[in-house]
Amino acid sequence: MGLWSYILRRLALMVLVLFGVTAITFVLTHVVPVNPVLALVGDRAPQELVDKVYRELGLDKPLWTQYGIYMENLLQGNLGTSIASQRPVAEDLARYLPATMELALAAMLVAIFLGVPAGIVSAVYHNRWPDHVARILALGGVSLPVFFVALVFLAVFYVKLGWMPGPGQLSSYVVPPPRITGMVVLDALLTAHWTAFWNGLHHLIMPASVLGWSSAGIIARMLRSSLLEVLHADYVRTARAKGLPERTVILGHALRNALIPTVTVIGLAFGGLLQGAVLTETIFAWPGIGRYATLSVTQIDVPAVLGVTLVAALIYSLVNLLVDISYAYLDPRIHYG
Amino acid sequence: MKRPKAAFLALFAAGALLLAACGGGGTTPAGDAGSPAPGQYSRQDTVILAGEIGSAVTLDPQVAYETPSVSAATLMYQRLVKFPAGNTETPVGDAAESWDMSPDGLHWTFHLKKGIKFSTGRELTADDVVYTFVRAVSIPNDPAAWLVTQLGIDDTNVKDLVKAVDPYTVTIDLPEPFSPGAFLAVMANTVVGIVDSQEVQANEKDGDFGTGWLYNHSAGSGPYVLKDWTKDVQMEFVANANYVEGEPAIKRVIWKHIPEASARLDMLRTGEADIAENLTATQVESVQNDPNLKVFKAPAFSLTYVGMDVKNVPCLAKAECRNAIKYAIDYEGIVQKLLKGMGAPLQVAIPQGIFGYSDQVYFQRDVAKAKEFLAQAGYPNGFEVELLTSNGTVAGGIPAGSLANVIKANLADIGITVNIRQLESAQMYTEYRAHKVQMILAAWGMDYPDPQSFAAPFGDYQQKSLIWRLQDEDQALSDLVQRAAKLENTPERAALYAQFNDLLAETGPFAILYQPYEVRVYSGKLQNFVYDAVNGVAYWQMKKNP
């Protein structure tokens, strides 16, 4: 019961946060002295046309009137129309968000799959060679720029070795699966389009690895230091004294207690994945929200920028909520009420 | 004690090898065509472009205005006239067999070819042409509409001015004189790409002229038909079996949106793509010796220039001061070192390939002469000025910032201190249009291949374009442009443009830097590869070796 009211309280707070986010973004996008119409009609269009479209888009109205209109529409679930794409923002988001979610989730899997074992190995073999290897890999993940790794991976695994497919979500000859969630691999699985499933999965590996590696580094380093701390705790000594196998001591007693800070970091890393997605999506021609966000910002496409910001804030808030709830499962001593 | 630790190591190793394992076990090699299902096209019938097509807003020919959507419309729609692939000076008939102009240039009659069929199977008639013009001027928020409305044709008078006399004859009356050369060039533009009026009207919704449907469908008579468009992913076209000049040999054309230039080149190298566009100068250099790849270069119809505001900076108000800057710039160095063959010298506002072009070199870097001019202007010790440019690339695929720094260094040699400021292009153009710049480094491209598309913005302040933005109300230039506009491409018109070029170089507020090349790198398997700045790549006349 306590947990549910906690979740409800958090969700109510989230509405306030999102409201603040729209207000700040709206003001920020209008601080820049730029005519968004020029991004739409181009530099060569005559001034009369620019002025006409400016009025048609309602950009000549005072800032607060525009914000009022925006909020009124937003409360009715209408995110407005993108200036650049001339399509409803909600439609654009629905098209781009699934691709990014698919990439981010796959990258998260890679990050956890690489980061957690690496962290454990590092701590268990503290200051011996497996620790050094894992730490070098982790350091590489954290410090090598994503775009650089992406370009090198493409040059090596795609061009030289031919193990991996090139940019994009599917090869040209593969018929895309019917759209259900918008995530190609998942849709192919759900509709049993096996060619598309394997091809899509194959295309997903490289961008997800590039993106996941950096988060894996953060996870490994965090898990290593918290495990090292926990391994010196009294209850671990007690467990060993009881004669429990080392495996049970580490995976059962130590790991669970070391996971709380790591889970926090995983939550934060998810935010980082959304950021890293901008570059990864550009290089791997991934039709995701990162590229949509970049384009919208450079074109001062206010409705699109607001839509993206709202969605990003929403995802980030939800992930944080999820992280907080998971504490209660990881550590029974934590209660919400 | 040893075994559990070994298990951890194994787990770690398994995680680390995940990529390699999945990759190595993959069943489909990259770039493989696979075997086509019945009724589908094979890789051999297909040409794949690794391109930049993300800016396409709609594929409706009357609304298409961005480069990729205009190129797509060129594949799908015939116009009354067209420029043949590789020839951008003389229009020939496309849907029209022939045409006549009245002596005063106000009345045009187009005689249509008989037997042209749309991809839908219906015959193309004069009614379709009229409907196309109605669409071109009536769709709200249409960024391309001004190409037609500048002729004096708008949604209130279009039905009186564009008429179907009989099924194969269309007349167009212009309310005011308009340059005949420019008029034909507009008739060749996709903004009047002829749509199947019955098909479009059948798909109309709430009086939208079918824009919602034509957004991602096609109803034309051009060489290709739109099969599918996934925005930001790819466009797929298939050959139009009804095309009046014969069904193209390349049965399927796929344009993939690959935003990163090096990834586009990667796809070409593996054979996954057959053509790559928008590569950087360095990348083009790197493929010169690749036996499997070929490079096609054609002059782009654009130019890069430095504009000088004649009111905001006191010195720049004087022609001597502007000439000092024109003599200080190292044009040769820019073309050779920075562009590395991705551009050609150009010092007039009308680029090569357009009537009225001249290869005259008015200015060569001469520091002594530049200083002399500066002293004549009354600023022997120079002055300080801001140079505005975008934070993207300029024509020719080089960063605007690099070019701006060359200008800065060149002008420093004659004592002028340049402060570079870089903005997003939309922001830069906002300031430019509001007369708020001191100096600007920018590019200009054409809308239709007629000198008017260049001479008017650079020379006629009454057009409220480039020269007007720089606050230079030069009456002599404006008169020359307006006189030349009224003529067809005659020797008299050529003489007027020669005068215009000289005068602009002498007194104008522009230092014109170069004309970029458009470069396409393509697979050696492709035959008859032709690219030009009006039609793009002529897929319809291409062939492919196995």
Side-chain angles (χ1 to χ4, degrees), chain A residues 32-35 38-39 41-47 49-50 53 56 84-87 95-96 113-114 117-118 121 124-125 128 130 134 137 151 154 158-159 163-167 170 172-173 175 199 202 205 209 246-247 250-251 282-283 285 287 291 298, chain B residues 1 4-9 11-12 15-16 19-20 22-23 26 28 30 32-34 40 48 57 65 141-143 146 215 231-234 252 254 256-260 262-263 266-267 269-270 272 424 426-427 429-430 433 443-447 466 469:
Chain A
V32 194
V34 60
N35 186 347
L38 286 177
V41 298
D43 176 41
R44 301 196 298 276
Q47 193 62 40
L49 177 74
V50 175
V53 177
E56 282 168 354
S85 76
Q86 292 283 296
R87 315 290 292 178
R95 176 168 52 228
Y96 296 112
F113 238 89
L114 288 179
V121 166
V124 172
Y125 292 88
R128 278 181 282 159
L137 284 176
L151 287 176
L154 262 184
Y158 169 55
V159 180
W163 291 357
M164 288 288 161
L170 286 174
S172 303
Y173 60 89
V175 182
N199 191 269
H202 203 185
I205 291 169
S209 310
E246 186 67 10
R247 186 194 173 94
I250 288 172
L251 292 184
T282 303
I283 292 170
R291 260 169 57 206
T298 55
Chain B
M1 278 293 147
K5 286 185 182 176
F8 294 146
L9 261 185
L11 184 58
F12 178 41
L19 335 170
C22 293
T28 31
D32 190 311
Q40 276 197 316
I48 298 180
V57 172
Y65 192 63
N141 271 341
D142 180 352
W146 70 272
Y215 165 78
K231 198 172 154 35
D232 272 307
V233 179
Q234 67 178 33
R252 183 170 66 157
I254 297 177
K256 299 204 121 198
H257 179 53
I258 309 295
E260 171 64 33
S262 60
D266 285 346
M267 289 180 71
R269 287 212 163 106
T270 59
E272 186 169 355
E424 274 305 327
Q427 203 175 345
Y429 289 125
T430 306
R433 286 177 178 243
W444 181 258
M446 60 134 208
D447 288 295
L466 303 181
R469 294 183 200 165

Side-chain angles (χ1 to χ4, degrees), chain B residues 12 57 110 256 258 343 387 401 429 487 507 512 520 537 544:
Chain B
F12 178 41
V57 172
F110 291 90
K256 299 204 121 198
I258 309 295
L387 176 64
Y429 289 125
L487 302 172
T507 65
I512 290 155
R520 296 291 182 275
V537 173
K544 192 176 175 187

Side-chain angles (χ1 to χ4, degrees), chain B residues 392-405:
Chain B
T393 53
V394 287
I398 50 174
S402 312
L403 184 54
N405 271 305

Side-chain angles (χ1 to χ4, degrees), chain B residues 158-171:
Chain B
V158 61
K159 285 184 176 153
D160 302 321
L161 297 176
V162 183
K163 281 184 281 199
V165 178
D166 62 58
Y168 302 106
T169 313
V170 177
T171 57

Side-chain angles (χ1 to χ4, degrees), chain B residues 227-277:
Chain B
K227 181 154 180 274
D228 186 45
W229 175 33
T230 313
K231 198 172 154 35
D232 272 307
V233 179
Q234 67 178 33
M235 292 182 196
E236 185 175 344
F237 308 91
V238 294
N240 174 10
N242 295 337
Y243 183 46
V244 67
E245 292 179 26
E247 188 181 344
I250 300 295
K251 300 299 176 208
R252 183 170 66 157
V253 174
I254 297 177
W255 294 353
K256 299 204 121 198
H257 179 53
I258 309 295
E260 171 64 33
S262 60
R264 292 196 285 275
L265 184 57
D266 285 346
M267 289 180 71
L268 190 62
R269 287 212 163 106
T270 59
E272 186 169 355
D274 303 296
I275 308 173
E277 65 180 10

Side-chain angles (χ1 to χ4, degrees), chain A residues 36-65:
Chain A
V37 174
L38 286 177
L40 170 65
V41 298
D43 176 41
R44 301 196 298 276
Q47 193 62 40
E48 297 81 52
L49 177 74
V50 175
D51 295 341
K52 181 168 160 264
V53 177
Y54 194 77
R55 280 191 305 276
E56 282 168 354
L57 292 173
L59 294 167
D60 53 341
K61 298 195 176 80
L63 183 59
W64 292 111
T65 317

